[in-house]
């Protein structure tokens, strides 16, 4: 499933502007880490794995998102 909405914003100096709305991703407050995690977890679920191992600092958003999805 693709969660990122592309919204037309307007025109500036003859350039059409679009906004990538990652705030519509329905978990972990959205964002690029959540969007990337969707791909990781598709592979995890398709492979039938039952364990997720990741690493990061104590304030890692990547780890926060992965733990929310797990």
């Amino acid at each position: 499933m693709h969660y990122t909405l592309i919204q037309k914003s307007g025109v500036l100096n003859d350039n059409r502007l679009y906004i990538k709305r990652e705030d519509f991703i329905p978990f972990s407050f959205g964002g690029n880490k959540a969007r990337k995690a969707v791909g990781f977890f598709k592979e995890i679920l398709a492979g039938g794995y039952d364990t997720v191992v990741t690493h990061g600092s104590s304030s890692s958003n990547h780890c926060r998102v992965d733990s929310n999805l797990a």
Side-chain angles (χ1 to χ4, degrees):
M1 176 175 271
H2 191 264
Y3 291 114
T4 306
L5 172 71
I6 305 295
Q7 180 178 342
K8 188 174 182 178
S9 178
V11 178
L12 177 65
N13 297 328
D14 295 325
N15 295 300
R16 288 177 288 198
L17 303 176
Y18 296 87
I19 298 172
K20 189 170 185 171
R21 297 293 307 269
E22 292 182 333
D23 55 323
F24 279 98
I25 297 173
F27 53 87
S28 298
F29 304 108
N32 67 323
K33 303 292 189 297
R35 176 178 41 83
K36 292 175 185 178
V38 169
F40 298 151
F41 277 83
K42 281 182 184 176
E43 184 178 343
I44 289 166
L45 293 173
Y49 304 111
D50 63 359
T51 304
V52 176
V53 177
T54 190
H55 64 89
S57 70
S58 62
S59 60
S60 169
N61 287 329
H62 165 77
C63 291
R64 177 184 54 84
V65 170
D66 284 355
S67 65
N68 285 342
L69 284 174

